[in-house]
């Protein structure tokens, strides 16, 4: 299977890659998905399976793991090859097709769609004493099971959507919830910020803006953290069971940066057709940059459809790009 | 309410407009939706409520009316004003806001997002004797209740997704299903074309490619149609109870073409930020044209998010465009 040529190979089995695989199937392509993770779903399953997602069209609210399940079912309708736990190291054009050299095998494909999300999941770490020591012993950068924090005293660090969303989810089950952020501006949806404000006024969340973590201490597990006011250097010690730091992810493209595609701001540069500078290599989702780019699942879906349609056209120049007005294939004989 | 100023007014309550309204709410905007139809949902409810939709991310399959219901629920979370059955005739910039002159009232808004779908729902008609006479008496251009055709003899005319999708849906309930198309190329998803081919080989759908309708006859209702081979002019008379013509919709922008926005190929021209040539007027969905544009619900959702984010920035230039890294508002006081 590995060496059978496929029309389109999609690097990345997150939401963008899954929708791309589905869409490639709709366009009649043979498709392969390769992901370095052992499981499909990308960030949805690897980072926040239990988080509610609000901004996917048609779902007022859906758990990340459920969205992932739906997307897998949608993609699998057309039975793409799945190659998990595989890192593609090199990509070579051999005329007519690309050869992908993976850690465990090689793969041939006529076109490539890079849907690699934020690249490797390299979380930004808190550079303070105790972080490394207590990582996974109270210190976490992802929540896989919120129930674990029922009745606990939790300190959340960060000012983005992840930090605020988790503060809102956990506030009702924790014994105490402190939100620490180094300034008083937030990098989150306004509606989320409003909800956090309301929860703060209701005393459900303790806000500590202009504060940073100085250290994390404990014996076996986390027992306390010291934070300080970055304007006055005044310290506060907070007894707690968990320190959850949501500081985003370091962009780490990994081997992709050696595939010959142009990189800009740690992302793959594409044009409006989701073409990279290498003919036959397209990209979509959080990994791309172009004018007007937004990092949303909704835009990832659209980019995947655009990338796949243009990849179809690359593989078969007779196939028109827009499927609403395309395919146009003479496969029926008149009766 | 009509004269209260809103941050964003969205013209069109179809899928793109509904997702835009939801997204504007997420961004903390006051929002208004205006639609000329009496009901939200756009084409989903007006044209094919009972049709399965396959290409919306996260739904392996969903009935159009159910998708519409979900999108309405998603949009209504932030309680936008709804103005239905209202046609906006004129748009004037008055410095700081636009004044929209509707047929029944006037509306003030700081920014405008045109999500007008394919414009007015003006179906392409079959220009043959009997079409007008039997319209809604056996002749239809939309299917609202497939059950009506149970046990009937149905002729479907067209070669696009609507024609093929309905052929596939109705074939199992009709007594006879004939699909008439003037050539042998199809403007439909490849997977759909493959299914129709399989159904044709199984004898479930009678294909008549290179055929056109010559006339439609009956007494009270449709009783037969005569089709002809457009290569030989040979005629065939088909006894039938219904002629369903799916020939697409005439692009009719209506009053929008007088709002000062640049029109290209009967669509509103936008750039990558979904900006029209008029500052403060954005557009999204099937009504827009830009390089790489695809007519899909998935792209409409993404365009709506891009349009709204840039509209937010227009309304408040201090608000950053990308919400993942924006809002940034100093609404919390340090404790």
């Amino acid at each position: 299977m590995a060496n059978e040529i496929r029309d389109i190979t999609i690097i990345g089995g997150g939401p963008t890659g899954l929708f791309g695989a589905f869409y490639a199937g709709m366009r009649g392509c043979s498709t392969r998905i390769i992901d370095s993770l052992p499981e499909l779903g990308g960030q949805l399953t690897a980072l926040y399976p239990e988080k509610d997602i609000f901004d996917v069209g048609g779902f007022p609210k859906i758990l990340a793991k459920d969205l992932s399940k739906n997307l897998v079912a949608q993609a699998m309708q057309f039975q793409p090859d799945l190659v998990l736990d595989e890192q593609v190291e090199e990509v070579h054009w051999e005329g007519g097709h690309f050869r992908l050299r993976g850690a465990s095998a090689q793969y041939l494909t006529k076109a490539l769609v890079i849907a690699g999300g934020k690249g490797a999941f390299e979380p930004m770490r808190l550079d303070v004493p105790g972080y490394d020591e207590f990582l996974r012993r109270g210190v976490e950068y992802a929540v896989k099971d919120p129930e674990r924090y029922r009745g606990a005293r939790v300190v959340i660090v960060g000012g983005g959507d992840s930090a605020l969303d988790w503060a809102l989810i956990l506030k009702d089950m924790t014994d105490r919830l402190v939100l620490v952020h180094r300034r008083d501006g937030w990098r989150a949806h306004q509606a989320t910020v409003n909800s956090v404000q309301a929860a703060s006024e209701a005393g459900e969340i303790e806000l500590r803006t202009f504060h940073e973590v100085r250290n994390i201490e404990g014996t076996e597990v986390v027992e306390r953290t010291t934070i300080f006011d970055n304007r006055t250097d005044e310290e506060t010690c907070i007894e707690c069971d968990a320190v959850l730091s949501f500081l985003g992810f370091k962009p780490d493209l990994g081997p992709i940066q050696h595939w010959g595609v142009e990189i800009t701001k740690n992302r793959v540069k594409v044009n409006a057709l989701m073409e990279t500078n290498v003919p036959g290599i397209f990209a979509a989702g959080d990994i791309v940059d172009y004018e007007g780019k937004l990092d949303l699942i909704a835009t990832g879906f659209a980019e995947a459809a655009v990338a796949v349609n243009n990849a179809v056209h690359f593989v078969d120049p007779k196939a028109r790009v827009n499927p609403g007005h395309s395919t146009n294939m003479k496969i029926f004989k008149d009766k």
Side-chain angles (χ1 to χ4, degrees), chain A:
Chain A
M1 183 183 92
N3 258 300
E4 268 180 57
I5 195 161
R6 292 286 171 260
D7 293 326
I8 296 182
T9 295
I10 295 175
I11 305 294
T16 298
L18 288 169
F19 190 69
F22 152 74
Y23 202 78
M26 280 288 279
R27 294 290 322 253
C29 295
S30 61
T31 311
R32 175 195 292 121
I33 299 175
I34 303 180
D35 199 311
S36 58
L37 294 169
E39 200 182 353
L40 289 172
Q43 295 180 50
L44 298 178
T45 45
L47 289 184
Y48 43 83
E50 299 294 335
K51 199 172 133 178
D52 278 321
I53 296 187
F54 298 91
D55 58 355
V56 173
F59 296 99
K61 173 165 124 173
I62 183 169
L63 275 178
K65 67 177 179 186
D66 293 336
L67 177 61
S68 174
K69 208 179 298 171
N70 291 2
L71 285 165
V72 169
Q74 190 168 23
M76 294 312 290
Q77 291 176 98
F78 298 104
Q79 301 168 303
D81 299 342
L82 293 184
V83 186
L84 297 174
D85 235 337
E86 168 71 298
Q87 175 99 305
V88 174
E89 305 287 354
E90 295 174 30
V91 172
H92 300 284
W93 176 249
E94 299 189 330
H97 65 262
F98 293 95
R99 177 179 298 270
L100 315 180
R101 290 182 194 278
S104 49
Q106 300 192 10
Y107 311 88
L108 303 182
T109 189
K110 295 181 189 168
L112 192 63
V113 175
I114 304 173
K118 297 201 183 294
F121 291 107
E122 188 62 43
M124 299 286 275
R125 53 190 296 287
L126 261 178
D127 190 18
V128 299
Y131 179 89
D132 288 335
E133 185 183 350
F134 293 103
L135 193 58
R136 301 197 205 293
R137 290 190 294 138
V139 171
E140 297 285 347
Y141 53 79
V143 174
K144 295 205 92 172
D145 178 15
E147 280 303 320
R148 191 174 145 185
Y149 302 104
R150 189 169 291 280
R153 300 158 303 169
V154 173
V155 174
I156 290 179
V157 186
D161 272 303
S162 290
L164 271 57
D165 285 348
W166 279 119
L168 291 170
I169 292 167
L170 296 178
K171 70 178 171 55
D172 297 327
M173 51 175 71
T174 49
D175 185 48
R176 180 182 184 187
L177 198 139
V178 183
L179 178 58
V180 175
H181 184 38
R182 65 189 160 82
R183 52 196 186 93
D184 68 348
W186 306 88
R187 294 161 91 82
H189 283 105
Q190 190 55 45
T192 309
V193 174
N194 294 347
S195 298
V196 167
Q197 184 179 37
S200 163
E201 281 160 10
E204 298 166 346
I205 293 176
E206 298 173 48
L207 282 182
R208 291 288 182 274
T209 50
F210 293 112
H211 277 73
E212 299 175 39
V213 174
R214 179 138 286 158
N215 64 49
I216 300 167
E217 294 174 316
T219 45
E220 287 300 299
V221 296
V222 168
E223 291 172 6
R224 77 195 71 83
T225 179
T226 299
I227 63 173
F228 66 99
D229 187 316
N230 57 25
R231 299 161 302 185
T232 63
D233 210 43
E234 188 187 347
E235 290 189 348
T236 311
C237 181
I238 303 174
E239 303 287 323
C240 62
D241 307 296
V243 176
L244 311 180
S245 83
F246 299 107
L247 303 174
F249 290 83
K250 218 182 316 200
D252 179 9
L253 291 177
I256 292 171
Q257 56 201 304
H258 308 300
W259 294 355
V261 295
E262 187 178 343
I263 307 292
T264 172
K265 290 183 269 175
N266 257 304
R267 293 180 179 229
V268 175
K269 189 174 170 187
V270 293
N271 62 16
L273 307 182
M274 301 301 130
E275 294 170 329
T276 69
N277 58 311
V278 180
I281 304 186
F282 304 80
D286 285 358
I287 205 162
V288 304
D289 193 49
Y290 59 89
E291 193 203 353
K293 168 64 184 165
L294 295 179
D295 285 347
L296 299 173
I297 294 175
T299 47
F301 288 163
E303 290 155 10
V306 173
V308 165
N309 277 326
N310 287 287
V312 166
H313 180 71
F314 175 83
V315 170
D316 175 10
K318 289 194 300 293
R320 289 171 66 180
V321 171
N322 196 332
H325 308 275
S326 89
T327 60
N328 221 3
M329 297 174 75
K330 302 211 171 200
I331 64 170
F332 290 119
K333 296 284 167 257
D334 195 35
K335 290 199 164 183

